[in-house]
Amino acid sequence: MSTCSVSKGCFVFKPSPKKRRVSQKTAVHFSEGKNDLEDSELRFYTCQSLWNQIKLETEQIQEDLNKQLLDNLVSFLGRSHSEFQGKTTDWTCRMKSREIPTAALVLGVNVTDHELTFRNLSEALQNITPYIALLEAKDCPGIKNLMQKLMGQLMNCSTDVVSLEDDDYVQVSQNRIRCSMKSVVDWYESVTKKTDSETLSKKRTSSAKHQQSPPVVVIFKDMESFTTKVLQDFIVISSQHIRELPLVLIFGIATSPMIIHSLLPHSVSSLLCIELFQSFSCKEHLSTIIDKLLLTSRFPFKLGEKVLQVLINIFLYHDFSVWNFIRGFQLCIVEHFYSEPLSVLCCQLTDAKKRVNSLSHEQCENVRRLPSFRRYVERQEAEKQIALLTADSFLKETTQKLLEDLHVYHENYVSVLKCLHVFTCSLPKYPLGKQIRELHCACLENRVWETEDYETSLQLARMLNKSDLETMLQQCVEILVSSSGNELDKAVEKLKEFLTQFQKLEAEAFQEQDVSVSSQKELQKKTDLYHLQKTLLELKDSRRSKKLTKFEMLRFEVVDYIDSLVRRYLVPADHKTLHEIVYFNTASVLRGHLNAAPRIALHTALNNPYSYLKNQALKCDSGSISSKAPDICIVYKLHLECGRLINLVDWLEAFSTVVTAVDEPNADAASSDQVDDIIHARFIRAVSELELLGFIKPSKQKTDHVARLTWGGC
Amino acid sequence: MRRLSGKGCGALEVKFVPDEEVLKHIADDAGIKLQKDKAQPSVSVKRFVKKLENISDDEPQEILEEKDYVAALGICAQDPVGNGSSVSGGEVYSFKTPKRSSRLAELASELAQTPGQSAAPDHSKCPDKTTKAPQSSQRSSRVQQRNKKEFMSTTPYRLRNRLTVHYLESGSEYSSSCSEEDEENQKEDNTVSSGQKTPEKMKAASTLPPSSTLAKKNKESKMSNLVEEYFEAHSSSKVLTSDRTLQKLRRRRLSQQTLRDLLKKAPLAYAAEITELNQLHESLFSKWMLQLHLGFNIVLYGLGSKRDLLEKFRTSLLQDSVHLVVNGYFPSITVRSILNSITEEVLDHIGTFRSPLDQLDFIIERFKEDSSLELYVLIHNLDSQMLRGERSQQILAQLSSLPHIYLIASVDHINAPLMWDQAKLSLYNWLWYETTTFSPYVEETSYENSLLVQQSGSLALSSLTHVLRSLTLNARGIFRLLAQYQLENKDNPSYPGLSFQDFYQQCREAFLVNSDLTLRAQLTEFRDHKLIRTKRGADGVEYLLIPVDDSTLTDFLDKEDEDV
């Protein structure tokens, strides 16, 4: 069946049921179309399990970060609700205050991340009330739609509470009920009454855990995108019913709380009793994610410097969306496992060791082909080299060792990186960056100790005061102790030693002070002018030579020690043998898929077809274009010369001039007519293609003219 | 652009240095620059753009630079779409002046020619004049071409310049200002070797080396001119192009059928290379499947029709699964019809829905309930006229976010990414794939109301005659009057139509109607058959117009004459 038709735009293809594979395994696609079938299944499952772990972890992180916010909100709901309950008898009091309790939830600009927050929120609120309605602006163009949506959601959730036996009530579809606040109130009354009676009677259904009259929560997910009119109407209407219906509003706000006042006039906003809740910032969230996913030895998979940089930049410059960051991370994992046959070893160390043993010969060859491994081999002695390159068993042994080295390196790397960060994060002007991710990138990029920034930060560190230095050392000790690496035990001892020395210094300082005081006293003694001059000179001399106090000496020592740690442990990963197995480094792929530049691609194709079509005829020097280029390129180039409007006839003329220049025009007129027709047709095609691409559009301003839609470049 | 500023002293600063130095600098330490740029992402992009403009006269360097730029794009991470236009900024004029060392200076001088005169109209005027030249005596231009073939084939603009000059010499009717300009350009072509010129002293072009202050001024004026130029070009309603129309050409519009036949005769250029490209893309099919299954959706972009590629994907991998193909370029496609085919044909649901949103909810519900349901959706041209609306995209995005609906789509329009905001993008969860195929958009443009294709000319004529046959003699006379009047005015581009009062007068004189009301009744009849269109002028007068092109109208009148 063809998909071309002049009467239809959609075509459904349903294979006959018996032919239909129920659900093709994703793993099949993983191994399809590749020649190295080996281990691909194992690789796929490693990939999937790793991703699932990471996904769980990220969700956990978000939940933890949200916890505080949710707790606050829940208690807020409880409060508003208890007021209502307390005053149910006191109608008069309630009547006077028509304020709707409202929570303004400032969530930040990363709108795409809010989905998860709202999901958590509604889960958390389930404990308080079953009556939750989540509204989105796109569903509510008018107050009517809003009410419809609201009632639909409220009445659906009531089915959870009301047991299935009273179908006749629940089944009243929302279409038939008139969508008004009145019917909501009626519904609420009947539902609460019912649950009341139910709880009183023998059945203690799930509703029992809710209090007698649970509040009705209406969440506006994206408050800014609602029409003002709709919001105002809703608030005004519902404030009329607030004494019959314990309504609570939650506004999801992406910008700032001020938006409430700019969206709603005072007469409306005065009907709200607003409490502000601030969620954690997305940058914080990202830092936590990076800390928990990348700066840990829990997950074997690592990101290379460029890749991480790309992901972070997409985050910082495009969307602030942590969700997108994680999505990018997922893509990295998939790409890595898909493209790197040796990624089968990218798993926990114990598993990896086992897997090394079962590597096939082909995979061993793959190991030998790794650039980092080749470098390693070159460093070995001749016999060992031969053994590594010929004997698979020896290679496997070495690989195991190297993998272990890599693992140890990671453990140490992370702890030392954190230590270094403790030092650099408080330096003025942050030469190595404020965030640990910046430091991490710098360390991955190249030898950090060779950079200028590192030099300046060491200089600055040498000027730290004592109390700061002590607290930093203390922090470093904590970090190193908590890490599992044994190699760093020595470092811990050394740092502790420094700390005790500092304490000693304090004691010594007193004595020193005494000395200086005594020398001062000496000065004050009565002497003649000559002696005074002499002593003064001596003092000066001594000061110059003894410029360094003990504290300063110690400070130098500390900084030097940290420096030595850095040099030892923060070697960039790509200097490590077998780093290709765990590091994903092809940033270009990632950028191409996530941060694509369609216009640049189009522009390159039109301006420089040679970059796609490798034909020598198309190769030409500098910005010009050969007249042999595809028609659309020529037409495009010609149209760049024109102003706002383009005369089609002139354009056609120019086109045929260019094209016939190549076509070896022979003199006989008979064939040239034919040629002209073909050129004409080609021109038509090219022009309509340009129209499809959006470069031009037909213009009514003048007959046979088209308007250019681009200005300047592209 | 000087090294210093490349190393970046915080603020955006543009200094000027001769091109040679720039080139040297770029060749020497592109690496350093890149690194530094990373340090100051916000500033660097602008600088890149300027740099591009500066060095665009040397292609290899430019490629290098562009690569750097693209590399830095990720690092600088500016919006690629926004920069898409800026990266090309330097290349816009490359067609005119290939292989010249001081393109920038020339460009600037061209733009800033005489301050009083607006630059944009000049710009649009000259090419037209130049292109007019070859046509007025086509045969000799051919001769000309043969003489200079080698030269011309690579540099069409210069070709045209030369042709113009040639004809200018032979005494044509062009305005002196335009010809002067062309000569100047010509002169530049010949004399320019290196160095920059001040815009004020065009004639002294080749003599003086630039001083940096002048160059700076030059640049500044260019930048501001670009803005001014834009508004000038778009503010004036006056159109400065030649008045020639396709009517005057021997072969006018081709019908769709002849066009197709003709194109079949024309061999597809670079077929081998195109197949090679396609094979490259086809090797990714299984990867696409994998990524679709992992929750991503795929969008294809790049020049050339992606229809065949997607068709191949469909036939090779999707034969055994349920899938839906949507031709976005189909002129009357709607989201509704897409949803309908899902509910009716995929889910076998009988019944209607009140709104697309309800329908969407139903689909979402069904797919959530039944996890064995799987659907591949292929959309050719997701950015088509009919689907690019906000609500359509919202619905499609929501559809694509379902875990068991796999969407793979293609986009072609240069502004396609503007359709999506962050929320939609996150629903779509796109993976972008560049699939430049260079294959012609045959299917995609076949529905299009192209300007050059005679769309419904024959149809209009037959419908005209049919409708008029059924009318009274007087009515035919009335229509004839209008048609004749319109043809008399066909050379007037701003012809608004015949005003009702005038028309009434004429009809009375021809004894066709006797009252205002009869004429109105007759006109209503015409309007119902879409034979005429009325519009109100600025003065409130009603104007009548036959919305049929002049050639059809002439044919019609001729036929009528025969009949009578």
Side-chain angles (χ1 to χ4, degrees):
Chain A
M1 192 164 128
S2 129
T3 56
C4 305
S5 162
V6 287
S7 59
K8 229 175 117 182
C10 297
F11 306 87
V12 174
F13 297 87
K14 280 177 112 170
S16 56
K18 59 184 171 195
K19 247 178 91 184
R20 197 186 302 178
R21 272 176 276 173
V22 177
S23 73
Q24 211 175 24
K25 275 187 193 160
T26 319
V28 177
H29 304 299
F30 192 83
S31 47
E32 251 172 38
K34 285 192 293 181
N35 36 17
D36 50 329
L37 285 168
E38 282 178 75
D39 303 327
S40 69
E41 202 156 318
L42 187 59
R43 236 156 75 204
F44 179 69
Y45 287 116
T46 323
C47 170
Q48 284 299 82
S49 70
L50 179 68
W51 165 238
N52 287 335
Q53 271 178 39
I54 287 175
K55 208 165 123 194
L56 281 180
E57 176 79 23
T58 53
E59 276 163 17
Q60 189 59 45
I61 290 169
Q62 170 137 29
E63 224 165 83
D64 293 347
L65 283 171
N66 270 330
K67 201 164 178 307
Q68 177 72 29
L69 176 74
L70 293 183
D71 286 349
N72 287 345
L73 264 175
V74 165
S75 73
F76 164 76
L77 274 182
R79 249 180 296 141
S80 66
H81 159 68
S82 71
E83 273 164 31
F84 180 80
Q85 274 207 323
K87 282 168 190 169
T88 35
T89 47
D90 190 7
W91 291 111
T92 47
C93 172
R94 196 68 203 166
M95 234 149 47
K96 271 176 198 158
S97 65
R98 277 204 202 128
E99 289 185 350
I100 310 170
T102 306
L105 203 57
V106 182
L107 291 166
V109 289
N110 47 335
V111 187
T112 48
D113 290 350
H114 298 173
E115 198 54 43
L116 201 59
T117 316
F118 281 117
R119 211 191 304 151
N120 288 344
L121 177 64
S122 54
E123 270 166 25
L125 295 186
Q126 285 294 342
N127 297 329
I128 293 203
T129 169
Y131 311 123
I132 302 170
L134 277 157
L135 298 176
E136 270 176 281
K138 61 170 186 278
D139 298 330
C140 311
I143 183 79
K144 200 175 147 203
N145 308 63
L146 188 144
M147 289 305 295
Q148 216 169 28
K149 205 85 195 165
L150 176 71
M151 291 182 69
Q153 290 197 19
L154 285 180
M155 291 178 186
N156 270 344
C157 62
S158 73
T159 51
D160 302 336
V161 179
V162 181
S163 47
L164 283 168
E165 52 210 67
D166 28 32
D167 268 9
D168 51 347
Y169 171 73
V170 183
Q171 288 304 311
V172 182
S173 75
Q174 73 246 35
N175 305 347
R176 265 179 281 156
I177 304 176
R178 277 191 57 233
C179 292
S180 70
M181 212 60 198
K182 182 81 178 61
S183 40
V184 176
V185 171
D186 288 346
W187 159 82
Y188 183 75
E189 264 172 23
S190 63
V191 167
T192 41
K193 219 174 267 167
K194 197 169 285 178
T195 46
D196 281 354
S197 60
E198 240 170 60
T199 41
L200 288 176
S201 67
K202 73 263 170 196
K203 266 195 213 160
R204 295 223 146 222
T205 51
S206 61
S207 66
K209 73 179 177 209
H210 306 301
Q211 279 137 333
Q212 298 236 321
S213 44
V216 174
V217 181
V218 180
I219 303 175
F220 294 84
K221 275 187 181 176
D222 38 357
M223 198 232 182
E224 282 96 337
S225 12
F226 276 92
T227 358
T228 349
K229 185 90 178 50
V230 173
L231 266 183
Q232 285 179 25
D233 287 353
F234 179 74
I235 291 169
V236 172
I237 293 171
S238 47
S239 74
Q240 300 291 329
H241 295 275
I242 187 67
R243 54 204 156 85
E244 298 140 48
L245 187 72
L247 192 71
V248 179
L249 304 182
I250 296 179
F251 290 148
I253 294 173
T255 49
S256 86
M258 284 311 291
I259 197 79
I260 297 177
H261 298 290
S262 54
L263 274 179
L264 305 173
H266 181 254
S267 59
V268 175
S269 62
S270 60
L271 296 173
L272 302 174
C273 172
I274 301 171
E275 196 161 323
L276 197 66
F277 295 89
Q278 184 88 38
S279 84
F280 54 92
S281 85
C282 51
K283 278 200 232 157
E284 232 171 84
H285 191 178
L286 181 77
S287 309
T288 330
I289 293 273
I290 288 181
D291 196 44
K292 291 268 168 65
L293 294 187
L294 298 177
L295 300 178
T296 170
S297 44
R298 264 188 69 197
F299 301 110
F301 176 74
K302 310 274 173 206
L303 292 182
E305 187 262 336
K306 289 249 169 58
V307 173
L308 184 59
Q309 199 62 259
V310 167
L311 284 181
I312 288 177
N313 282 333
I314 291 177
F315 175 85
L316 288 178
Y317 295 98
H318 286 264
D319 49 16
F320 284 121
S321 165
V322 178
W323 186 83
N324 269 349
F325 183 87
I326 294 166
R327 194 174 71 99
F329 194 64
Q330 182 195 5
L331 183 66
C332 292
I333 296 173
V334 174
E335 276 292 327
H336 180 68
F337 281 90
Y338 186 79
S339 56
E340 176 61 64
L342 283 172
S343 59
V344 70
L345 299 179
C346 181
C347 54
Q348 298 302 335
L349 186 62
T350 44
D351 292 336
K353 278 184 175 171
K354 272 181 222 149
R355 287 181 192 180
V356 167
N357 280 329
S358 54
L359 281 186
S360 66
H361 176 69
E362 188 53 43
Q363 286 281 48
C364 290
E365 284 301 310
N366 280 335
V367 174
R368 287 182 189 123
R369 258 177 292 216
L370 291 179
S372 71
F373 187 77
R374 281 215 218 126
R375 260 178 275 143
Y376 170 78
V377 170
E378 276 159 26
R379 283 200 302 270
Q380 306 304 315
E381 298 140 27
E383 301 128 52
K384 218 174 165 193
Q385 274 185 10
I386 294 166
L388 278 174
L389 294 178
T390 51
D392 280 358
S393 59
F394 185 64
L395 177 85
K396 282 175 187 171
E397 239 170 69
T398 324
T399 313
Q400 280 178 344
K401 207 168 77 330
L402 287 171
L403 280 176
E404 204 174 322
D405 282 353
L406 200 62
H407 186 76
V408 172
Y409 157 76
H410 280 140
E411 279 179 348
N412 296 335
Y413 176 88
V414 172
S415 338
V416 175
L417 185 76
K418 282 178 181 164
C419 288
L420 180 62
H421 182 240
V422 166
F423 274 86
T424 56
C425 70
S426 56
L427 295 177
K429 283 192 184 171
Y430 312 104
L432 280 173
K434 208 175 183 176
Q435 306 278 353
I436 195 163
R437 55 165 190 262
E438 295 164 77
L439 191 64
H440 180 51
C441 283
C443 292
L444 280 179
E445 197 181 1
N446 44 37
R447 294 194 177 96
V448 72
W449 57 90
E450 283 170 4
T451 60
E452 255 174 66
D453 293 335
Y454 181 77
E455 208 51 53
T456 43
S457 32
L458 275 197
Q459 292 282 348
L460 289 169
R462 286 192 184 110
M463 283 180 250
L464 286 169
N465 66 25
K466 195 169 140 234
S467 62
D468 280 356
L469 205 58
E470 265 179 295
T471 44
M472 284 176 188
L473 279 179
Q474 198 61 52
Q475 279 173 346
C476 288
V477 169
E478 276 163 29
I479 290 167
L480 293 181
V481 166
S482 65
S483 83
S484 47
N486 338 337
E487 267 187 62
L488 291 172
D489 288 349
K490 230 191 269 170
V492 173
E493 271 168 38
K494 184 83 182 166
L495 288 181
K496 278 184 180 160
E497 198 184 306
F498 280 131
L499 272 175
T500 48
Q501 276 179 349
F502 272 119
Q503 272 144 22
K504 256 190 226 159
L505 264 187
E506 238 163 85
E508 277 171 31
F510 283 116
Q511 294 168 5
E512 222 167 278
Q513 219 167 15
D514 289 348
V515 175
S516 63
V517 167
S518 67
S519 71
Q520 289 281 318
K521 268 180 188 161
E522 242 168 62
L523 259 181
Q524 280 161 8
K525 266 193 278 175
K526 232 181 188 181
T527 51
D528 54 18
L529 206 59
Y530 172 73
H531 274 110
L532 178 65
Q533 199 177 12
K534 207 174 157 188
T535 37
L536 276 176
L537 275 175
E538 268 169 18
L539 263 176
K540 202 176 166 193
D541 269 355
S542 70
R543 254 185 218 153
R544 194 181 290 154
S545 63
K546 211 190 90 187
K547 198 166 45 181
L548 297 174
T549 62
K550 272 192 182 161
F551 164 66
E552 282 166 330
M553 300 272 273
L554 198 54
R555 189 164 61 183
F556 267 81
E557 250 177 79
V558 170
V559 173
D560 285 344
Y561 185 69
I562 294 289
D563 185 38
S564 74
L565 279 182
V566 167
R567 278 165 202 267
R568 182 146 170 230
Y569 294 110
L570 294 189
V571 185
D574 45 7
H575 290 240
K576 283 286 173 190
T577 315
L578 296 186
H579 70 91
E580 290 94 338
I581 291 176
V582 292
Y583 277 86
F584 177 67
N585 246 326
T586 30
S588 56
V589 175
L590 192 70
R591 201 181 307 128
H593 288 336
L594 293 181
N595 198 3
R599 279 182 88 147
I600 289 180
L602 212 56
H603 180 86
T604 325
L606 287 169
N607 277 298
N608 188 13
Y610 180 69
S611 58
Y612 292 97
L613 303 171
K614 300 290 177 205
N615 189 312
Q616 282 309 310
L618 290 173
K619 198 174 182 178
C620 53
D621 44 346
S622 64
S624 82
I625 189 163
S626 105
S627 45
K628 287 185 192 130
D631 296 343
I632 187 166
C633 300
I634 294 171
V635 170
Y636 170 76
K637 277 290 187 185
L638 289 169
H639 111 287
L640 286 182
E641 305 248 326
C642 298
R644 191 162 47 107
L645 289 180
I646 307 168
N647 186 324
L648 278 172
V649 185
D650 294 342
W651 200 2
L652 169 61
E653 221 45 73
F655 176 72
S656 66
T657 317
V658 174
V659 173
T660 41
V662 213
D663 285 351
E664 300 279 342
N666 33 8
D668 41 315
S671 73
S672 86
D673 249 15
Q674 176 91 30
V675 169
D676 277 354
D677 268 351
I678 289 177
I679 287 174
H680 189 78
R682 278 164 63 186
F683 176 71
I684 291 172
R685 178 172 63 188
V687 168
S688 40
E689 281 173 357
L690 276 192
E691 194 183 339
L692 181 81
L693 293 176
F695 285 102
I696 52 165
K697 68 168 187 196
S699 164
K700 289 252 166 63
Q701 240 174 327
K702 212 170 166 187
T703 36
D704 293 330
H705 274 66
V706 290
R708 257 186 88 169
L709 295 177
T710 51
W711 181 258
C714 198
Chain B
M1 190 73 36
R2 151 181 318 185
R3 209 163 167 152
L4 258 175
S5 70
K7 291 218 167 162
C9 21
L12 176 66
E13 183 180 358
V14 186
K15 288 181 183 170
F16 262 80
V17 158
D19 287 354
E20 290 79 0
E21 242 187 84
V22 175
L23 288 182
K24 214 168 75 191
H25 157 64
I26 288 156
D28 280 347
D29 44 17
I32 294 175
K33 178 169 44 81
L34 200 67
Q35 189 187 339
K36 289 299 163 190
D37 280 324
K38 193 197 71 186
Q40 307 165 336
S42 55
V43 186
S44 55
V45 173
K46 279 181 193 162
R47 221 181 278 142
F48 259 119
V49 172
K50 281 175 188 156
K51 238 176 245 170
L52 270 177
E53 281 174 356
N54 269 346
I55 52 115
S56 55
D57 40 332
D58 193 314
E59 183 67 7
Q61 295 289 1
E62 190 174 329
I63 285 172
L64 171 81
E65 183 72 354
E66 211 166 316
K67 268 186 195 151
D68 281 357
Y69 172 76
V70 173
L73 193 79
I75 293 164
C76 301
Q78 289 286 335
D79 186 10
V81 179
N83 285 329
S85 55
S86 4
V87 79
S88 58
E91 283 173 65
V92 184
Y93 298 93
S94 52
F95 188 56
K96 289 179 183 175
T97 55
K99 249 183 144 178
R100 233 183 294 166
S101 56
S102 66
R103 191 187 302 161
L104 171 74
E106 204 207 318
L107 183 72
S109 62
E110 204 180 312
L111 292 174
Q113 257 166 11
T114 40
Q117 207 178 353
S118 91
D122 273 350
H123 184 51
S124 58
K125 191 160 61 186
C126 292
D128 285 326
K129 298 281 187 197
T130 54
T131 44
K132 199 177 206 168
Q135 199 263 341
S136 55
S137 53
Q138 214 170 4
R139 188 142 299 264
S140 62
S141 86
R142 287 259 167 78
V143 179
Q144 179 85 6
Q145 278 163 27
R146 235 164 288 152
N147 295 343
K148 298 186 173 180
K149 213 188 96 200
E150 274 179 31
F151 183 57
M152 286 177 268
S153 58
T154 52
T155 62
Y157 176 76
R158 252 197 264 185
L159 147 86
R160 285 186 291 132
N161 256 352
R162 281 184 184 232
L163 288 176
T164 319
V165 172
H166 176 83
Y167 291 115
L168 283 172
E169 280 159 9
S170 64
S172 54
E173 78 277 35
Y174 302 122
S175 70
S176 62
S177 74
C178 189
S179 67
E180 228 176 70
E181 213 174 276
D182 280 320
E183 271 165 353
E184 271 168 16
N185 282 343
Q186 177 69 20
K187 207 174 274 172
E188 276 170 41
D189 271 353
N190 298 337
T191 54
V192 163
S193 53
S194 70
Q196 303 183 350
K197 284 156 290 180
T198 64
E200 299 92 318
K201 297 179 184 175
M202 289 276 286
K203 304 277 178 190
S206 54
T207 54
L208 49 136
S211 74
S212 70
T213 49
L214 266 179
K216 189 172 179 177
K217 214 181 275 172
N218 201 345
K219 175 78 170 185
E220 272 167 6
S221 71
K222 199 214 118 193
M223 284 308 286
S224 62
N225 258 354
L226 202 69
V227 178
E228 277 164 26
E229 195 190 351
Y230 177 87
F231 286 111
E232 251 162 56
H234 284 79
S235 63
S236 70
S237 55
K238 216 172 154 195
V239 181
L240 292 158
T241 51
S242 68
D243 291 336
R244 301 190 303 148
T245 58
L246 291 167
Q247 299 296 325
K248 289 177 185 158
L249 281 185
R250 189 168 31 79
R251 43 175 199 282
R252 297 169 177 173
R253 286 159 201 255
L254 304 168
S255 73
Q256 189 72 256
Q257 191 53 45
T258 24
L259 178 68
R260 219 172 258 193
D261 293 344
L262 279 172
L263 283 179
K264 256 178 214 155
K265 276 184 216 160
L268 181 62
Y270 307 110
E273 283 82 3
I274 289 173
T275 12
E276 211 171 286
L277 263 181
N278 275 320
Q279 271 161 5
L280 205 71
H281 302 317
E282 280 160 27
S283 64
L284 293 170
F285 280 175
S286 63
K287 198 170 171 185
W288 291 358
M289 279 301 262
L290 172 72
Q291 284 165 341
L292 286 174
H293 277 266
L294 290 175
F296 295 99
N297 290 310
I298 287 176
V299 60
L300 310 178
Y301 66 92
L303 182 67
S305 169
K306 289 159 281 282
R307 204 190 119 81
D308 293 340
L309 191 70
L310 280 178
E311 274 297 288
K312 188 139 193 200
F313 174 72
R314 183 178 79 81
T315 46
S316 59
L317 285 178
L318 298 183
Q319 278 310 315
D320 297 334
S321 28
V322 188
H323 57 277
L324 167 70
V325 180
V326 178
N327 291 343
Y329 49 82
F330 184 68
S332 52
I333 189 96
T334 53
V335 178
R336 188 121 213 191
S337 59
I338 298 173
L339 292 176
N340 275 341
S341 29
I342 294 178
T343 49
E344 282 164 22
E345 294 185 59
V346 179
L347 301 177
D348 295 320
H349 172 85
I350 305 154
T352 51
F353 297 88
R354 281 190 309 152
S355 72
L357 282 178
D358 284 349
Q359 201 164 4
L360 182 71
D361 286 343
F362 172 78
I363 293 170
I364 291 174
E365 206 53 46
R366 280 293 296 272
F367 272 89
K368 268 186 190 152
E369 275 167 24
D370 189 355
S371 61
S372 69
L373 272 176
E374 274 189 325
L375 177 66
Y376 293 84
V377 182
L378 280 86
I379 303 183
H380 304 290
N381 281 82
L382 184 60
D383 54 347
S384 71
Q385 204 81 46
M386 296 302 291
L387 295 181
R388 66 173 66 143
E390 206 267 331
R391 304 193 70 184
S392 320
Q393 288 296 326
Q394 180 68 44
I395 287 171
L396 288 175
Q398 273 175 288
L399 207 58
S400 74
S401 67
L402 291 179
H404 286 286
I405 288 188
Y406 313 114
L407 175 66
I408 176 163
S410 66
V411 293
D412 284 303
H413 199 279
I414 43 170
N415 294 328
L418 299 182
M419 291 190 294
W420 303 310
D421 55 15
Q422 286 295 345
K424 288 197 199 71
L425 278 179
S426 76
L427 281 175
Y428 271 124
N429 202 358
W430 288 131
L431 282 189
W432 295 77
Y433 272 90
E434 185 186 336
T435 52
T436 303
T437 60
F438 272 100
S439 18
Y441 294 95
V442 179
E443 279 293 324
E444 286 92 329
T445 55
S446 67
Y447 293 109
E448 205 178 349
N449 250 331
S450 178
L451 301 145
L452 293 156
V453 180
Q454 191 179 32
Q455 269 298 331
S456 49
S458 55
L459 207 68
L461 184 60
S462 66
S463 64
L464 260 184
T465 42
H466 271 101
V467 171
L468 283 184
R469 287 269 161 72
S470 63
L471 292 177
T472 60
L473 206 63
N474 272 4
R476 267 190 261 176
I478 292 171
F479 190 79
R480 235 181 117 77
L481 255 177
L482 189 60
Q484 272 164 350
Y485 189 79
Q486 185 161 337
L487 281 181
E488 278 163 28
N489 284 291
K490 69 180 174 187
D491 292 332
N492 178 6
S494 57
Y495 167 68
L498 182 56
S499 74
F500 180 78
Q501 280 311 320
D502 291 350
F503 192 37
Y504 175 56
Q505 209 55 44
Q506 287 186 23
C507 289
R508 266 185 83 100
E509 279 161 18
F511 300 110
L512 291 171
V513 292
N514 54 7
S515 77
D516 189 313
L517 278 178
T518 11
L519 180 60
R520 282 213 185 272
Q522 205 53 254
L523 289 180
T524 317
E525 174 107 35
F526 289 154
R527 205 177 298 141
D528 289 346
H529 285 102
K530 298 204 168 72
L531 292 181
I532 60 163
R533 223 172 43 200
T534 53
K535 66 178 174 194
R536 253 176 221 290
D539 45 358
V541 181
E542 207 175 346
Y543 287 104
L544 306 167
L545 206 66
I546 303 174
V548 178
D549 59 297
D550 298 343
S551 59
T552 322
L553 214 53
T554 322
D555 288 348
F556 164 73
L557 285 180
D558 291 349
K559 229 177 196 175
E560 281 286 279
D561 287 339
E562 280 167 26
D563 288 357
V564 170

